[in-house]
Amino acid sequence: MHLLDNYSQTFLTTNQERNDKQRENFKIATFSLVSSKLNMGIQNTGDIPINITRLWVQNTTASGDWFRTYTVNTVVSPGATASNIGQSLPLYIDSAKSYNIKLVTERGNSQQFALNSAGSAPLNIQLLALPAATPSGLTAELVMIVTNNGSSTLTNISPEQPFNPPPTGSALCTYGTAKPPKYDVLPPGGTATFTWDVVVSGQPNDSCTFTANIKNGYPGNTATAKFTVTTLKVTSTDWATNTGIMTIQYTSFQWSQGNNQWNKSWQLSKSNPTVFSLNVTNNNATSGSNFYMSSKTSLVFHQIGNSGDLQFFVVNGVDITGSTPTINTPYTCTGPPTDDFCVNIPPKGWKIVYFGAKTSSGTTVGSFPSTGQDLAYLAVFGKYASSQSASGNEYAQNLPYIALNIP
Amino acid sequence: MNLRARKGISSIIAAAILLSATVMMGTGLVSWSHTNLTSYQASLSNTYSTNVNKLNENLVIENVWFVKNPRSLNVTLTNLGTEGLNVTDIKLQSSSSTQDIPLNTVTIVPKHQYTVFQPVTNYNWQSNVPITITATTVRGSIFTTQVMPP
C-alpha cells in the first residue's frame, strides 16, 4: 500500500508539472537595440510565474554561422513584464547581420524570433500612391504595407531611406521622412505600415514612380507605385461645401435676346435687351427653412476697363417669343412684405431663376450699352425663413465666375 | 497385560511422528512463503523504482539549430527532471528520409544539457520540410518535437 501511495503521488506530481508547463505563456512585448545590445521586454501572459533561464542566439548570416547560449534567470510574475532583458549579456548585435534568438523557460517552453532578418526571405510588400492622380503642387500620400508572411518574429523593420533607386519620371516628386521610421517588432502575420508625404509637381499626365524596399531586405523584394499629375476639377457640389450655402449650376447659365431662343454661348450683341436664366440651388438642408429670395438679387456685370457696373435684377418670368425679350411676370407679390421675397427655394432644392429687369421689381429689360469683356457674378440676397412674412435669418452671398464678351 | 502395554506405546509413537511431520511441513511452508514473499517484494520494489524513475524523466529538446555549411543539425537536450537519465538514441525523420543516431548512452544529470553537434547528426535537411526529432532513454521514455528548417 505504501508503494502504491508513493507511485500515485509521483504520478500526480508529474502530471501537475506537465500541466504547469502547458499553462505557461509569455511573449516578447517590446524589443530594441540599446548600445548594440538586446533590450527586450518579456511579458508573462499566462497565469503562473515563469523563469526565463536561457537565451540562445544563432548568427544566421550566410558567412559566419555560429550559435551561443547565455544564462538569463529572470522570474516574471503573471501579467508582469520583465524589461531590459539582454542588457546585461555580453552579446553585441551587428545590425548588418541576421540572428535567430530563442528564450527558454525553466519548464522547457520557448519563444523564438529573428533579428535583422528581413533579408532571409521575401516579405509581402505593397506600395500605394494615394491618390494615384494628384493635382500639381498638392500633397499626396505614399503608403508602404509590409506583411510578415513568415513563421518567425521580425525585428528592426524599416524602409530603405532615401529611396534607392530614387523616384523616376517626368514629374518632380519630393518626399518627407517615413512615419513611423521603423517597427521594433513584427510578429508572424503582423503588418507594418509606413507613410510619406509626397508633393507631386509637373504638367498634367507627368508622372513619377517610387520603388521601395526594406532595409537589409531580400534582394529584389521591392514594390512600386506611380503618381500622375492631373488637372484639378471641382464640381458645383464641392463649391457648395467650400464657398457657401447657395450655388449655381454654371452649365445652366443662358441668355436670350428674343426670337424664342436661349443661348449658352459667351458672346452676345450690345444694345439689345437681354434676359438671363440660371439654376440656383439651396444647399441648406434645414427642414422647414426655405430660402426666400429678395428683389435685390441681381446679376452684376463688371466691364473690364470701364467704371460702373450693370445690374440685371431678378424677375418672376420672361417672354422670349418676340423679337426682343420682355418681362411678363415682374418680381412682384402681395405682402407682407410687398414685392419682396416672392420666390422661395426649398432645402436641398433648386429653381430656375430669371434676370433681366433694369431696376428692382421693374418691368424694363436691360441691355449692354458698350462692347467689351464683362465679368459677372450673382449677388443673392434673401432670408431663411418658414414663410415670406417671417423674419427668419437673413443671408446674402456672392457667386462669381461668369463671363461674357460683347463684341 | 504385556500386550495391552505395547498397544499404548505405539499410539504415542504414532502421535509423535504425526506431530513431527506436521511441524516439519509447517516449517517448510513458512520458509517457502517467506522466500517467495521476499522475492515478490524485491520484484515489486524494482518495478516501482523503474516506473517511478521513468515517470520522473523529463527531457526537453530545448534547441535545434540548422547549420548551413555543412548541412546538419545541432540538437540540445535538457534534463528538466529530478533524476539523471541516459539517452541512447536520436531519430531524425522527415517526409523524405529517416536518420537514426545511436548515442552510446549519453548521461544527462538533472538540470543540465547535452548538445549533439553537427558531426554526429550530419543531416541534410531541406528548407521548409518539417523534421520530427525523437530522443529515446534507457528506461524507454520517448521525447519528441517537430522543427521547421529555414
Side-chain angles (χ1 to χ4, degrees):
Chain A
M1 285 304 287
H2 183 64
L3 286 180
L4 202 59
D5 280 347
N6 278 351
Y7 188 78
S8 299
Q9 194 57 50
T10 304
F11 184 82
L12 288 173
T13 304
T14 305
N15 197 40
Q16 184 62 47
E17 284 171 0
R18 298 202 173 149
N19 197 27
D20 285 349
K21 183 178 178 182
Q22 286 185 337
R23 287 166 62 197
E24 260 194 1
N25 213 350
F26 69 102
K27 70 174 185 180
I28 299 148
T30 59
F31 178 88
S32 61
L33 290 176
V34 177
S35 304
S36 297
K37 284 185 167 187
L38 299 174
N39 185 25
M40 295 177 284
I42 310 298
Q43 186 183 11
N44 181 354
T45 54
D47 54 5
I48 57 171
I50 61 170
N51 183 9
I52 308 288
T53 52
R54 272 182 296 282
L55 181 143
W56 293 83
V57 57
Q58 182 186 20
N59 179 349
T60 54
T61 310
S63 58
D65 196 6
W66 51 256
F67 77 90
R68 296 173 189 156
T69 179
Y70 299 92
T71 301
V72 178
N73 277 338
T74 300
V75 177
V76 192
S77 305
T81 300
S83 53
N84 301 326
I85 303 284
Q87 281 291 286
S88 60
L89 303 179
L91 171 63
Y92 293 88
I93 299 297
D94 183 345
S95 60
K97 293 177 179 172
S98 57
Y99 302 86
N100 267 338
I101 291 172
K102 188 175 192 178
L103 289 160
V104 183
T105 69
E106 192 176 24
R107 295 186 183 93
N109 287 318
S110 62
Q111 286 282 348
Q112 186 172 336
F113 64 96
L115 175 63
N116 295 337
S117 58
S120 59
L123 297 174
N124 187 346
I125 302 176
Q126 293 174 278
L127 193 63
L128 306 172
L130 299 175
T134 308
S136 180
L138 296 188
T139 302
E141 200 86 336
L142 184 67
V143 180
M144 183 183 192
I145 302 169
V146 182
T147 304
N148 180 3
N149 48 351
S151 57
S152 61
T153 300
L154 301 178
T155 54
N156 268 353
I157 297 295
S158 62
E160 182 161 357
Q161 293 287 275
F163 288 104
N164 186 20
T168 58
S170 50
L172 175 65
C173 285
T174 55
Y175 58 91
T177 54
K179 297 174 197 167
K182 69 167 184 171
Y183 277 70
D184 290 334
V185 180
L186 189 61
T191 298
T193 305
F194 303 96
T195 60
W196 293 262
D197 287 340
V198 176
V199 178
V200 184
S201 304
Q203 299 299 312
N205 298 322
D206 282 357
S207 66
C208 65
T209 302
F210 281 85
T211 302
N213 58 309
I214 291 292
K215 192 176 179 183
N216 297 324
Y218 191 80
N221 189 196
T222 61
T224 59
K226 184 178 178 182
F227 287 101
T228 304
V229 178
T230 185
T231 306
L232 180 63
K233 293 179 181 176
V234 182
T235 67
S236 58
T237 306
D238 294 327
W239 284 111
T241 306
N242 295 298
T243 62
I245 297 172
M246 304 300 294
T247 55
I248 55 178
Q249 189 179 354
Y250 287 91
T251 53
S252 72
F253 177 74
Q254 52 188 354
W255 55 268
S256 175
Q257 291 184 334
N259 299 317
N260 205 22
Q261 186 175 343
W262 285 106
N263 304 283
K264 288 183 178 290
S265 61
W266 44 264
Q267 194 153 273
L268 53 82
S269 304
K270 72 167 188 172
S271 304
N272 292 338
T274 309
V275 293
F276 301 90
S277 165
L278 191 60
N279 290 7
V280 179
T281 303
N282 172 15
N283 293 291
N284 187 355
T286 307
S287 177
S289 181
N290 293 10
F291 180 74
Y292 285 85
M293 193 177 290
S294 168
S295 61
K296 295 178 178 59
T297 299
S298 66
L299 266 176
V300 182
F301 291 85
H302 170 76
Q303 195 167 65
I304 297 172
N306 280 348
S307 61
D309 293 333
L310 192 62
Q311 279 181 287
F312 290 79
F313 284 90
V314 63
V315 298
N316 267 337
V318 294
D319 182 4
I320 61 167
T321 54
S323 58
T324 57
T326 59
I327 298 169
N328 58 4
T329 317
Y331 202 75
T332 55
C333 55
T334 57
T338 307
D339 298 343
D340 207 356
F341 305 112
C342 302
V343 169
N344 72 81
I345 306 173
K348 303 299 284 182
W350 62 275
K351 191 161 276 186
I352 299 173
V353 182
Y354 298 101
F355 302 88
K358 290 177 74 172
T359 57
S360 175
S361 298
T363 56
T364 306
V365 178
S367 62
F368 292 91
S370 57
T371 60
Q373 289 185 340
D374 283 68
L375 307 180
Y377 57 89
L378 175 63
V380 182
F381 297 92
K383 63 182 178 184
Y384 284 100
S386 57
S387 66
Q388 182 198 1
S389 59
S391 57
N393 296 313
E394 288 191 348
Y395 182 78
Q397 191 182 331
N398 169 17
L399 293 153
Y401 308 122
I402 302 171
L404 286 174
N405 186 48
I406 317 297
Chain B
M1 175 73 184
N2 209 3
L3 189 62
R4 282 179 117 177
R6 280 183 187 169
K7 272 185 178 176
I9 290 168
S10 89
S11 299
I12 291 168
I13 291 170
I17 291 170
L18 201 63
L19 190 64
S20 299
T22 305
V23 168
M24 286 175 67
M25 282 176 66
T27 305
L29 192 65
V30 168
S31 176
W32 173 79
S33 64
H34 182 259
T35 306
N36 219 19
L37 270 175
T38 305
S39 169
Y40 180 74
Q41 190 176 3
S43 171
L44 187 66
S45 180
N46 190 38
T47 304
Y48 162 79
S49 299
T50 304
N51 283 333
V52 165
N53 287 340
K54 187 177 178 183
L55 202 59
N56 278 328
E57 280 191 341
N58 192 359
L59 184 73
V60 66
I61 300 168
E62 181 172 304
N63 200 34
V64 179
W65 293 125
F66 297 92
V67 182
K68 290 175 184 168
N69 189 21
R71 281 215 165 182
S72 57
L73 294 177
N74 289 338
V75 181
T76 300
L77 307 169
T78 303
N79 181 0
L80 296 177
T82 54
E83 309 283 346
L85 54 80
N86 296 314
V87 181
T88 56
D89 187 80
I90 287 183
K91 187 184 283 183
L92 308 172
Q93 195 169 13
S94 73
S95 57
S96 58
S97 67
T98 299
Q99 183 168 332
D100 196 49
I101 305 164
L103 290 182
N104 199 19
T105 309
V106 169
T107 302
I108 309 177
V109 297
K111 310 300 177 190
H112 280 72
Q113 300 157 276
Y114 176 80
T115 299
V116 186
F117 286 100
Q118 52 95 0
V120 179
T121 57
N122 198 22
Y123 181 72
N124 188 20
W125 47 267
Q126 306 294 318
S127 289
N128 298 319
V129 176
I131 302 169
T132 301
I133 301 174
T134 306
T136 308
T137 68
V138 162
R139 295 187 183 101
S141 299
I142 294 172
F143 299 91
T144 187
T145 191
Q146 197 170 50
V147 290
M148 177 71 87

